[in-house]
């Protein structure tokens, strides 16, 4: 994606109303990913690039009533779709750029990011911004409900060695932005990378 936010907003804004209908079977994959993330009751978690909020119900279930769930997205139409789906009952929804979060340093326990990394204009700096708002020892989950090969096929392209989400590229990218990768899974039916915020 371009670093031009207008392009990202136009792309997702035009698709927001039909997004959930286009991918109706993704719910269980989101739930499984959140479960594997290992959130605890009372945790404060950010759904970065939350879109229509498909992860928010699972995130709320994981952190419980004492926890905090915040969904942030750059596209107003996606947040409107999340509200129409009632997902604002699970946590606060905020129109903001994950590259410049309006949050204090180390205020969160974790960040869940579904389908986000491919749309970051400056992945190293942007992952660093996510690290800024997470306490040392906190977690990051980079998720997609299908794996890299399936996603490439959906978009009519082939995987190349320079794919940013390949393990040999993503590991150093995370390390350079304040995270240590703890697990990497790239299967047909999901992509899930977990990392821990370094002290």
């Amino acid at each position: 994606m371009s670093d031009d936010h207008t392009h990202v907003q136009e792309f997702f804004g035009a698709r927001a109303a039909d997004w959930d209908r286009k991918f109706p079977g993704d719910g269980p994959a989101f739930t499984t990913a959140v479960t594997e993330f290992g959130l605890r009751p009372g945790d404060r978690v950010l759904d970065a690039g939350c879109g229509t909020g498909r992860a928010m119900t699972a995130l709320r279930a994981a952190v419980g009533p004492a926890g905090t769930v915040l969904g942030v997205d750059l596209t107003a139409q996606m947040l409107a779709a999340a509200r129409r789906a009632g997902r604002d009952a699970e946590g606060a929804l905020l129109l903001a750029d994950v590259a410049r979060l309006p949050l204090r340093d180390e205020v969160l326990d974790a960040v869940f990011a579904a389908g986000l990394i491919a749309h970051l204009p400056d992945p190293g700096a942007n992952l660093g911004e996510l690290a800024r708002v997470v306490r040392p020892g906190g977690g990051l989950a980079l998720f997609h409900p299908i794996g890299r090969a399936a996603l490439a096929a959906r978009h009519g392209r082939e995987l190349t060695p320079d794919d940013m989400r390949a393990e040999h590229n993503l590991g150093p990218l995370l390390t350079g932005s304040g995270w240590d990768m703890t697990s990497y899974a790239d299967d047909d039916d999901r992509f899930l990378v977990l990392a821990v915020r370094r002290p």
Side-chain angles (χ1 to χ4, degrees), residues 70-150:
L70 174 62
V72 169
D73 202 272
L74 188 64
T75 306
Q77 295 94 323
M78 282 289 196
L79 295 176
R83 290 186 183 94
R84 284 193 301 274
R87 294 174 181 139
D88 54 337
E90 309 296 353
L93 294 171
L94 179 64
L95 182 66
D97 184 354
V98 299
R100 291 183 299 278
L101 289 165
L103 299 172
R104 296 188 313 273
D105 293 356
E106 301 181 6
V107 72
L108 300 172
D109 297 295
V111 173
F112 185 87
L116 176 70
I117 192 167
H119 303 292
L120 296 175
D122 184 349
N126 303 152
L127 289 168
E129 172 67 355
L130 296 180
R132 179 186 68 78
V133 300
V134 173
R135 63 168 175 79
L140 171 69
L142 301 176
F143 169 70
H144 199 284
I146 60 175
R148 291 186 311 124

Side-chain angles (χ1 to χ4, degrees), residues 23-193:
F23 306 107
D26 287 350
F30 275 84
T31 300
T32 298
V34 169
T35 299
E36 290 185 32
F37 192 17
L39 295 169
R40 296 166 301 196
D43 274 353
R44 298 155 300 174
V45 61
L46 170 66
D47 186 356
C50 66
T52 61
R54 294 185 295 166
M56 291 188 71
T57 299
L59 292 171
R60 170 55 65 196
V63 303
T68 299
V69 178
L70 174 62
V72 169
D73 202 272
L74 188 64
T75 306
Q77 295 94 323
M78 282 289 196
L79 295 176
R83 290 186 183 94
R84 284 193 301 274
R87 294 174 181 139
D88 54 337
E90 309 296 353
L93 294 171
L94 179 64
L95 182 66
D97 184 354
V98 299
R100 291 183 299 278
L101 289 165
L103 299 172
R104 296 188 313 273
D105 293 356
E106 301 181 6
V107 72
L108 300 172
D109 297 295
V111 173
F112 185 87
L116 176 70
I117 192 167
H119 303 292
L120 296 175
D122 184 349
N126 303 152
L127 289 168
E129 172 67 355
L130 296 180
R132 179 186 68 78
V133 300
V134 173
R135 63 168 175 79
L140 171 69
L142 301 176
F143 169 70
H144 199 284
I146 60 175
R148 291 186 311 124
L151 185 62
R154 176 187 286 175
H155 293 157
R157 60 178 175 79
E158 293 185 7
L159 286 179
T160 62
D162 62 349
D163 180 3
M164 176 178 49
R165 290 167 293 182
E167 187 172 7
H168 65 270
N169 295 325
L170 186 55
L173 182 62
L174 286 166
T175 299
S177 55
W179 302 96
D180 287 324
M181 187 164 61
T182 58
S183 69
Y184 182 95
D186 180 21
D187 307 313
D188 286 344
D189 59 351
R190 63 115 182 229
F191 174 85
L192 181 63
V193 173

